[in-house]
Amino acid sequence: MTREPLQKVLIVAPKGASYHYIQLSLEEAGFKVAVVTSADTAIMRIAAESPDFILLDSDLSGREEGRLCKRMRMGLDLSASRIIYIHNDASATEDDLSHSIGADAYLLKPFENEELFEKIAALQHRRRTDQLQRILRAGTIEMIPAQWVVQVNGAPVHLTETEYRLLQRLLEVEGRVLTREDLLDCVWGHEKALTLESRTLDMHMCRLRHKLGSSAKNIITVRNVGYRVDVEASAQEH
């Protein structure tokens, strides 16, 4: 059985913020954690890695936080991410915060690590519930992420983990073009992707297409850019 990868947490906090012990606690609990201190770096990491959880500290400068929130709402694919907003405004209600930030959960400073883990557990449960109902489609290709299943015309297709991740990422963005760099970062991780050549991606994509048979026509090569899928119908939930 294919081993599930570690869930990723991206902490976005100003320089000097004390997240060392939180990072250690998350890593000890089995998460892969990265910490960034600027909106631009956060945007790059979110686009490349699609973290499962984003911890956003309100003490970023207003300009940094504003730019990041605007990009998260308008320019980034956050379908795979859950945002926990960490703030210090005891007078703010969750409705106020939802209107301005649009996060999935909120934590008031100071907080105990146990509170953070409770928020994460609740979001994980909500996400599992959502995923149980989720089906991704492109023509005759059907993926059920909760069951790690891919079918073409109702027949199972056996993919490697890399092939599965490539297809999943393409299906999730519902027809948008993903560059080679985007796919390398997403599937292999940012650091390893820096050492890989573009032909590595093309080789795995060729194998994926071979396994999909005639349905491979739904994976479109965008010359000098990357790949997209012709979904023929948007990803649906049932």
Side-chain angles (χ1 to χ4, degrees):
M1 184 175 180
T2 305
R3 181 176 62 87
E4 285 287 333
L6 296 180
Q7 288 196 305
K8 293 173 285 189
V9 177
L10 179 66
I11 299 173
V12 188
K15 291 181 180 179
S18 180
Y19 277 89
H20 177 67
Y21 291 109
I22 292 174
Q23 180 177 358
L24 288 178
S25 295
L26 287 166
E27 289 173 342
E28 288 174 359
F31 292 92
K32 182 179 179 181
V33 185
V35 181
V36 299
T37 59
S38 74
D40 288 339
T41 306
I43 289 165
M44 287 190 293
R45 295 295 289 261
I46 293 168
E49 300 177 12
S50 296
D52 299 279
F53 299 97
I54 302 169
L55 308 188
L56 175 58
D57 191 308
S58 65
D59 285 337
L60 285 174
S61 73
R63 181 180 177 185
E64 289 280 288
E65 182 184 335
R67 186 163 74 252
L68 178 57
C69 289
K70 182 178 180 180
R71 284 294 306 276
M72 287 196 300
R73 286 195 297 265
M74 300 177 62
L76 290 172
D77 175 20
L78 295 172
S79 59
S81 304
R82 298 294 179 265
I83 303 169
I84 300 176
Y85 187 61
I86 299 171
H87 67 101
N88 48 24
D89 185 357
S91 65
T93 67
E94 192 158 307
D95 285 342
D96 294 333
L97 293 168
S98 294
H99 180 72
S100 59
I101 301 298
D104 299 285
Y106 305 90
L107 275 173
L108 178 65
K109 301 180 194 178
F111 60 89
E112 300 293 333
N113 284 359
E114 288 77 9
E115 295 178 74
L116 173 60
F117 281 106
E118 286 175 3
K119 295 287 186 182
I120 289 176
L123 291 173
Q124 286 174 322
H125 176 73
R126 189 193 309 171
R127 185 176 185 177
R128 283 193 295 267
T129 301
D130 291 343
Q131 287 178 335
L132 286 173
Q133 305 175 43
R134 190 182 185 203
I135 299 175
L136 302 174
R137 290 190 177 91
T140 58
I141 302 169
E142 183 176 273
M143 174 180 283
I144 309 173
Q147 300 176 21
W148 203 269
V149 166
V150 175
Q151 298 176 336
V152 172
N153 286 316
V157 177
H158 301 290
L159 303 179
T160 65
E161 181 175 353
T162 298
E163 293 160 355
Y164 184 95
R165 293 294 184 193
L166 284 171
L167 180 59
Q168 182 179 20
R169 185 60 180 149
L170 286 167
L171 292 173
E172 284 175 338
V173 300
E174 301 182 11
R176 288 196 290 115
V177 177
L178 292 174
T179 67
R180 284 179 163 79
E181 292 75 16
D182 288 337
L183 287 166
L184 285 168
D185 282 348
C186 177
V187 176
W188 281 272
H190 183 68
E191 292 184 5
K192 188 172 182 180
L194 294 175
T195 67
L196 295 176
E197 297 182 6
S198 182
R199 64 183 179 183
T200 300
L201 171 63
D202 296 333
M203 177 186 69
H204 284 280
M205 194 65 74
C206 180
R207 292 174 179 171
L208 171 61
R209 281 171 157 159
H210 177 73
K211 291 183 179 181
L212 294 175
S214 61
S215 293
K217 66 180 182 294
N218 287 88
I219 299 180
I220 310 298
T221 300
V222 181
R223 189 175 180 183
N224 298 324
V225 180
Y227 297 91
R228 68 176 180 86
V229 290
D230 181 3
V231 295
E232 295 185 0
S234 298
Q236 300 177 27
E237 294 187 0
H238 291 275

